[in-house]
Amino acid sequence: MYVQSDGHDQIADVVVVGTGPGGLAAVGSAVNAGVEVVAIEAYKDIGGNGTWSTGWVAFVNSRMQRDQGIHDSAELFMRDCEKLIDEASEHYGIQLDPVLAKIYAEESSKMYEILTERGVKFSRLIKRPLQTSVPRLAAVESTEQFARAFEKDFAGPRVRTYVNSTVVRLIVDNNNGRVTGVRVQPNDSKKPPFNVIARNGVILATGGYQANNALRQRYQPTAREAWYPGLPTCRGDGHLLGQAVGGDLVNMSMIPPIVAIASALTDEAIAVNAQGNRFHDEAGPYQYRVQELKKQPKQLAHYIFDTATAKRQKRYVDQLSNKVRADTLEELAHIIGVPAHELVASVKAWNEFIASGNRTKEPLTQRVDFYPKEITEGPYYASKMETGISLTCGGFRTTTSMQVVDIFGEPMPGLFAVGDTTGGFTVTAEMGGTHLGGGFVFGWRAGHAVATGQLAESHHKGEKVFGQSVPQRVTLSIRVPIINVATVEQIGTPRTHL
């Protein structure tokens, strides 16, 4: 249930910070295990950035695949991961946690059942042959279904939820280094801060750091992409909170640029260059789309779609800041500065292909995934193709219980992380659907682990750093700094209080 802070300290078995896919699943799993939960959300409602996404989730060997005669397996998934990591390593220095990837491959089908039993409906499987061996990317009917799937948990007696509230520091027992709770500041500065004590542990599920330009530039100093369509609360709060008490961050420089449009909208659009001609597979891999745009003269190109699409995909069209509209394609061509006859010919060719019923491969761009909608209903729209940021891939190393580990690979007592606050599995982003899927799968694992106390050993002990095996951690009697993230958007680094 949603509650208002009265300024008094709270106590619960599990504290979940953030209510995106990872936080939703963590709360649901913890409630399922029979414990009391306090959930804290910086935004005005639960659901997180997942409600702003296209809502595609990758499942391995799911019932949906089997019903369509698609044979998938953990082995195929791991091969796809290795291929994608090899390709991404050409652009970033990254590390995949294969242990977590294998768990995802084995448990994502169970999460498919959990979500569908809770009312989430997946309409179709997306084809991504350059990223996956078989179709495993499931399209949700509406991203609003994610939050609704867990509403009963949040409305029940075991959960207290504070929205419009920011965790500004972790509370640490300096005698043993255990994270014992959080300090919460309501976003309404007139309301007093309060503490929430966690009997079992704190789960960081605050999302990525894509909304924090200063923090992104710390890890990608030369990057200039600023467009970002999601929640302003994805500012790296969890990363900074956990780092301040010793959590080990990895893959923080992997902040892949994308062409600024939701994939659901791309499905119903075509892209034309300055000559009015299509030039690439609009549904291809994210990095490929960026590369193909950069090859065009002056890096100039536009997405083209019609009013029917604008109505169906209104939430994603509203995210576009540079769209224009005209009653006819000829008028639209004049506005965006491309030859009218070429634009009309490109749209006509696309419509003829869709009308043909051919769903195997489009001959012009080799596109293989189609949402069978023609571009025929005026007014028509164009949106300039620009690069931006949709997600980040860096975060904490964790155990398989999602317990954060320090630089020595040692689990940090009382501290857990899921979703885009972690960095071991999120580097599979190019596959599509693994950020949302990873949030749900590992959020569910974390909620159960923290609720029951059934924690895994660290599989990171003995890993080499700078060519040497790291030593076992030595516990010293020191005061651990705590962090205030209240001004992180402005300065990109925390104020540290002793």
Side-chain angles (χ1 to χ4, degrees):
M1 56 183 174
Y2 287 13
V3 293
Q4 296 291 328
S5 167
D6 58 6
H8 291 91
D9 291 352
Q10 306 288 315
I11 189 168
D13 298 304
V14 180
V15 173
V16 178
V17 186
T19 60
L24 291 172
V27 169
S29 181
V31 169
N32 188 60
V35 300
E36 294 182 347
V37 181
V38 165
I40 302 155
E41 171 57 55
Y43 194 55
K44 62 184 178 182
D45 204 352
I46 65 172
N49 220 36
T51 60
W52 290 60
S53 70
T54 292
W56 295 349
V57 186
F59 299 105
V60 182
N61 194 27
S62 67
R63 176 164 48 87
M64 188 177 190
Q65 290 174 296
R66 295 193 298 272
D67 287 347
Q68 297 183 30
I70 297 171
H71 300 285
D72 200 1
S73 67
E75 290 71 26
L76 275 179
F77 179 81
M78 293 302 294
R79 287 205 296 269
D80 290 342
C81 285
E82 292 170 3
K83 173 179 176 290
L84 289 172
I85 294 303
D86 286 344
E87 293 172 353
S89 294
E90 297 177 6
H91 306 280
Y92 313 98
I94 55 178
Q95 305 171 28
L96 171 70
D97 186 333
V99 177
L100 292 182
K102 184 70 176 298
I103 287 174
Y104 184 86
E106 295 171 343
E107 297 187 359
S108 61
S109 60
K110 173 186 174 184
M111 181 51 58
Y112 175 85
E113 299 299 335
I114 291 171
L115 290 173
T116 54
E117 287 170 5
R118 288 169 171 255
V120 179
K121 296 180 180 180
F122 296 97
S123 59
R124 64 191 179 105
L125 289 171
I126 312 297
K127 296 178 182 178
R128 289 291 186 268
L130 296 180
Q131 294 111 299
T132 61
S133 300
V134 296
R136 63 170 68 101
L137 192 58
V140 72
E141 287 186 353
S142 169
T143 56
E144 295 174 354
Q145 293 177 3
F146 292 145
R148 287 204 296 267
F150 296 90
E151 277 181 348
K152 288 185 179 179
D153 299 308
F154 283 83
R158 295 187 183 277
V159 181
R160 284 163 285 153
T161 305
Y162 296 91
V163 296
N164 287 314
S165 300
T166 300
V167 171
V168 294
R169 72 187 192 190
L170 297 174
I171 300 172
V172 179
D173 185 334
N174 288 310
N175 293 318
N176 56 21
R178 182 180 183 83
V179 174
T180 59
V182 297
R183 181 73 166 171
V184 183
Q185 174 62 63
N187 295 347
D188 182 350
S189 59
K190 296 179 181 179
K191 295 180 180 179
F194 60 98
N195 296 331
V196 183
I197 304 304
R199 297 186 186 96
N200 295 10
V202 173
I203 301 175
L204 299 175
T206 56
Y209 43 99
Q210 54 266 46
N212 187 340
N213 188 57
L215 185 57
R216 284 195 280 115
Q217 287 199 0
R218 171 174 290 186
Y219 294 99
Q220 278 193 351
T222 61
R224 292 295 177 264
E225 284 82 10
W227 180 90
Y228 164 65
L231 292 182
T233 49
C234 290
R235 58 197 176 211
D237 288 4
H239 296 74
L240 294 167
L241 289 164
Q243 184 184 36
V245 298
D248 187 21
L249 293 170
V250 294
N251 300 320
M252 293 293 286
S253 67
M254 188 175 179
I255 309 171
I258 64 165
V259 177
I261 190 172
S263 293
L265 181 52
T266 310
D267 267 8
E268 300 189 34
I270 62 172
V272 299
N273 58 20
Q275 288 76 42
N277 300 318
R278 291 179 62 219
F279 58 93
H280 76 311
D281 174 359
E282 295 91 347
Y286 305 124
Q287 187 67 39
Y288 156 82
R289 300 183 208 177
V290 173
Q291 292 170 349
E292 292 304 306
L293 174 60
K294 290 182 177 180
K295 292 177 183 178
Q296 303 310 305
K298 298 182 180 180
Q299 298 185 24
L300 182 63
H302 291 82
Y303 286 111
I304 308 296
F305 53 95
D306 68 1
T307 289
T309 289
K311 291 177 179 177
R312 277 191 299 268
Q313 306 294 350
K314 181 179 184 302
R315 65 183 306 175
Y316 302 120
V317 173
D318 288 347
Q319 293 176 1
L320 301 173
S321 61
N322 54 10
K323 59 184 178 291
V324 294
R325 186 178 71 172
D327 289 335
T328 67
L329 288 172
E330 289 83 358
E331 292 173 0
L332 189 67
H334 176 73
I335 293 172
I336 63 176
V338 305
H341 65 284
E342 294 292 349
L343 176 60
V344 170
S346 293
V347 172
K348 180 182 179 182
W350 172 255
N351 289 341
E352 289 175 347
F353 172 77
I354 294 299
S356 73
N358 186 345
R359 296 292 178 268
T360 54
K361 183 180 290 187
E362 189 239 349
L364 179 63
T365 67
Q366 308 303 301
R367 182 167 170 172
V368 297
D369 188 64
F370 316 99
Y371 192 70
K373 300 296 179 182
E374 299 174 27
I375 302 173
T376 57
E377 184 179 333
Y380 299 92
Y381 289 78
S383 176
K384 184 179 178 182
M385 294 179 68
E386 296 178 333
T387 57
I389 298 296
S390 176
L391 51 80
T392 56
C393 298
F396 294 107
R397 291 194 305 161
T398 69
T399 68
T400 56
S401 305
M402 308 315 293
Q403 189 170 6
V404 176
V405 302
D406 63 16
I407 190 65
F408 303 112
E410 294 281 351
M412 301 185 65
L415 186 61
F416 301 78
V418 298
D420 285 3
T421 315
T422 64
F425 178 69
T426 47
V427 289
T428 59
E430 187 65 57
M431 185 179 295
T434 55
H435 272 245
L436 287 178
F440 286 122
V441 170
F442 295 117
W444 192 265
R445 283 182 67 87
H448 179 79
V450 181
T452 62
Q454 299 174 11
L455 305 181
E457 293 289 329
S458 173
H459 56 281
H460 299 289
K461 292 180 180 180
E463 290 183 354
K464 291 185 176 182
V465 178
F466 303 120
Q468 300 294 324
S469 295
V470 295
Q472 295 296 305
R473 181 176 60 185
V474 178
T475 302
L476 303 176
S477 180
I478 59 174
R479 297 195 67 189
V480 179
I482 50 183
I483 185 173
N484 185 332
V485 299
T487 58
V488 68
E489 280 192 286
Q490 288 74 36
I491 62 175
T493 54
R495 293 178 180 175
T496 303
H497 299 269
L498 299 178

